[in-house]
Amino acid sequence: AQTVTQSQPEMSVQEAETVTLSCTYDTSESDYYLFWYKQPPSRQMILVIRQEAYKQQNATENRFSVNFQKAAKSFSLKISDSQLGDAAMYFCAYRSLYNYGQNFVFGPGTRLSVLP
Amino acid sequence: GAGVSQSPRYKVAKRGQDVALRCDPISGHVSLFWYQQALGQGPEFLTYFQNEAQLDKSGLPSDRFFAERPEGSVSTLKIQRTQQEDSAVYLCASSSYTGTPSADTQYFGPGTRLTVL
């Protein structure tokens, strides 16, 4: 079974600065998808960014980018020019390409605070 | 509607009561998922529907948990004889099945916070 680890329970960043959230995972599969989700206090999970394991190029979405290191099984999220609205819980998630049940495996989350 | 909706947003139950949690997925979405999120934890998979068929229920923690989606749209998660350990946020998500399951983006609802006293 796959596992996802987020070693930083809490992080803080000054507004307009850059922060990196860590994620590692364990799998024996060669093809899969990785995700970062944001969960603000309203509890609605919002997709931030997605990475296909077969793609070597790191995914980017505006101020959000990832550093995907497949051999190291590492998938960190970098938030540039942090904004107050970025404050939330961030979850890293793994999804098997072959999982018929289509379920996600989520990490325990990192709570990000943005300081004005 | 524009997104996934869930009702009620909050539910308080006495231990031993039955509860029913509703999920309205995005119109036309074939796939529907239920997750349980304990306080301070990430969501954990409970069950998955493709249309009205429940294709995976491996995450349901006990036979007190039951989910249905009889017409392939709205889904209900029922918990019988609730226990204190059932207290959690229950999230529903839907996606449009494109033939490549892992590529489908899941859209989450706001969740139902269940508190069992």
Side-chain angles (χ1 to χ4, degrees), chain A residues 67-111:
Chain A
N67 183 6
F68 174 48
Q69 301 290 328
K70 190 173 183 181
K73 296 180 183 175
S74 170
F75 183 61
S76 60
L77 174 70
K78 185 172 80 172
I79 306 174
S80 304
D81 185 26
S82 297
Q83 300 175 0
L84 295 177
D86 295 334
M89 284 289 288
Y90 285 81
F91 292 97
C92 178
Y94 173 100
R95 192 173 191 190
S96 170
L97 197 65
Y98 307 106
N99 191 329
Y100 184 68
Q102 303 192 49
N103 58 356
F104 279 97
V105 178
F106 285 86
T110 296
R111 182 176 302 280

Side-chain angles (χ1 to χ4, degrees), chain A residues 32-33 35 37 39 41-47 50 89 91 95-109 111, chain B residues 4 9-10 31 33 35 37 40-43 45 48 55-56 89 91 97 100-106 108-113:
Chain A
Y32 45 87
Y33 285 79
F35 302 79
Y37 274 87
Q39 188 178 42
S42 66
R43 297 202 305 262
Q44 195 110 25
M45 297 277 279
I46 302 166
L47 177 65
R50 184 178 79 181
M89 284 289 288
F91 292 97
R95 192 173 191 190
S96 170
L97 197 65
Y98 307 106
N99 191 329
Y100 184 68
Q102 303 192 49
N103 58 356
F104 279 97
V105 178
F106 285 86
R111 182 176 302 280
Chain B
V4 179
R9 290 293 307 274
Y10 301 89
S31 299
F33 308 79
Y35 295 87
Q37 186 176 20
Q41 300 295 319
F45 171 80
Y48 160 66
L55 299 185
D56 189 344
V89 173
L91 295 171
Y97 186 78
T100 306
S102 295
D104 300 335
T105 296
Q106 292 193 9
F108 284 81
T112 295
R113 181 181 296 281

Side-chain angles (χ1 to χ4, degrees), chain B residues 14-110:
Chain B
K14 292 183 179 179
R15 188 164 59 92
Q17 280 185 331
D18 297 349
V19 298
L21 312 180
R22 177 187 169 105
C23 172
D24 284 81
I26 293 173
S27 178
H29 275 192
V30 169
S31 299
L32 186 145
F33 308 79
W34 283 99
Y35 295 87
Q36 181 189 59
Q37 186 176 20
L39 186 64
Q41 300 295 319
E44 292 191 359
F45 171 80
L46 293 176
T47 187
Y48 160 66
F49 289 87
Q50 187 173 353
N51 295 307
E52 69 278 2
Q54 189 175 19
L55 299 185
D56 189 344
K57 53 182 181 179
S58 61
L60 296 176
S62 78
D63 58 7
R64 296 186 296 103
F65 286 71
F66 172 76
E68 60 182 5
R69 193 186 185 198
E71 297 179 359
S73 178
V74 171
S75 177
T76 303
L77 176 66
K78 297 179 179 178
I79 308 174
Q80 297 176 326
R81 305 180 304 280
T82 52
Q83 304 294 316
Q84 285 188 325
E85 61 262 29
D86 299 336
S87 296
V89 173
Y90 290 86
L91 295 171
C92 174
S94 71
S95 70
S96 55
Y97 186 78
T98 61
T100 306
S102 295
D104 300 335
T105 296
Q106 292 193 9
Y107 297 87
F108 284 81

Side-chain angles (χ1 to χ4, degrees), chain A:
Chain A
Q2 295 83 19
T3 59
V4 177
T5 302
Q6 294 177 251
S7 60
Q8 306 152 316
E10 295 184 359
M11 292 281 286
S12 62
V13 62
Q14 209 72 32
E15 196 176 5
E17 297 295 311
T18 296
V19 65
T20 298
L21 308 184
S22 300
C23 172
T24 58
Y25 57 94
D26 185 29
T27 184
S28 59
E29 297 175 341
S30 59
D31 290 321
Y32 45 87
Y33 285 79
L34 296 166
F35 302 79
W36 278 98
Y37 274 87
K38 168 185 175 182
Q39 188 178 42
S42 66
R43 297 202 305 262
Q44 195 110 25
M45 297 277 279
I46 302 166
L47 177 65
V48 174
I49 200 165
R50 184 178 79 181
Q51 174 80 42
E52 293 89 341
Y54 60 87
K55 289 187 177 179
Q56 293 187 348
Q57 186 174 7
N58 288 325
T60 62
E61 283 290 339
N62 300 314
R63 298 183 294 108
F64 299 88
S65 61
V66 298
N67 183 6
F68 174 48
Q69 301 290 328
K70 190 173 183 181
K73 296 180 183 175
S74 170
F75 183 61
S76 60
L77 174 70
K78 185 172 80 172
I79 306 174
S80 304
D81 185 26
S82 297
Q83 300 175 0
L84 295 177
D86 295 334
M89 284 289 288
Y90 285 81
F91 292 97
C92 178
Y94 173 100
R95 192 173 191 190
S96 170
L97 197 65
Y98 307 106
N99 191 329
Y100 184 68
Q102 303 192 49
N103 58 356
F104 279 97
V105 178
F106 285 86
T110 296
R111 182 176 302 280
L112 177 67
S113 301
V114 180
L115 308 174

